[in-house]
Amino acid sequence: GSSVNLSTYKIELYGNGSSTATRNLDLSTLTNTILANGQVLVIYSASANDAIKNEGDFSSSVIFFNGDDAVGLLKNNVLIDVIGKIGEDPGTGWEVAGMPEATKNHTLIRKTSIIKGNIDWNTSSGTNTTNSEWEVKNIDDFSSIGNR
């Protein structure tokens, strides 16, 4: 319901089961750290599809991964949201909404009913489409890019 100052936020990638970040992006480095109410920030990999790049705000290697790495959002260096389990390697991907390896070769969209982060991946990923915080879409489903 209000603007957010991203200068105290950071995105971290925990590659291949690492319990410490292997890459990170400090959002205080953005030219504009204020995210207006309803606005979306799209960070993309340099190798992303043009459909993503065209909607994107900037490129970063922090989101260059293959589905078996955990990604965390931190505020004031405290984890507030996560995809996957930090310190664990799931093999090829994590299950989401009852779909095996959903973090690999799928598009995950946070349900609009979810209004804050969740550091408990078991709860966030859920066991079916009803109790998961995520919608699992086909690979390269760009229909929601740039939208909440």
Side-chain angles (χ1 to χ4, degrees), residues 69-145:
D69 302 318
V71 179
L73 177 65
L74 293 84
K75 181 179 181 184
N76 295 318
N77 291 316
V78 175
L79 186 67
I80 62 168
D81 201 9
V82 68
I83 295 175
K85 294 181 182 179
I86 296 170
E88 292 188 26
D89 187 340
T92 55
W94 278 282
E95 184 173 311
V96 181
M99 180 178 289
E101 300 179 350
T103 56
K104 179 182 180 184
N105 296 330
H106 291 91
T107 300
L108 297 182
I109 307 293
R110 201 66 167 275
K111 291 179 179 177
T112 56
S113 61
I114 306 303
I115 59 171
K116 68 177 195 170
N118 189 343
I119 61 171
D120 181 345
W121 178 245
N122 288 334
T123 302
S124 175
S125 64
T127 58
N128 57 55
T129 57
T130 302
N131 66 16
S132 176
E133 294 183 1
W134 301 91
E135 296 176 37
V136 181
K137 305 283 189 173
N138 290 328
I139 190 171
D140 297 337
D141 181 327
F142 305 131
S143 61
S144 295
I145 192 125

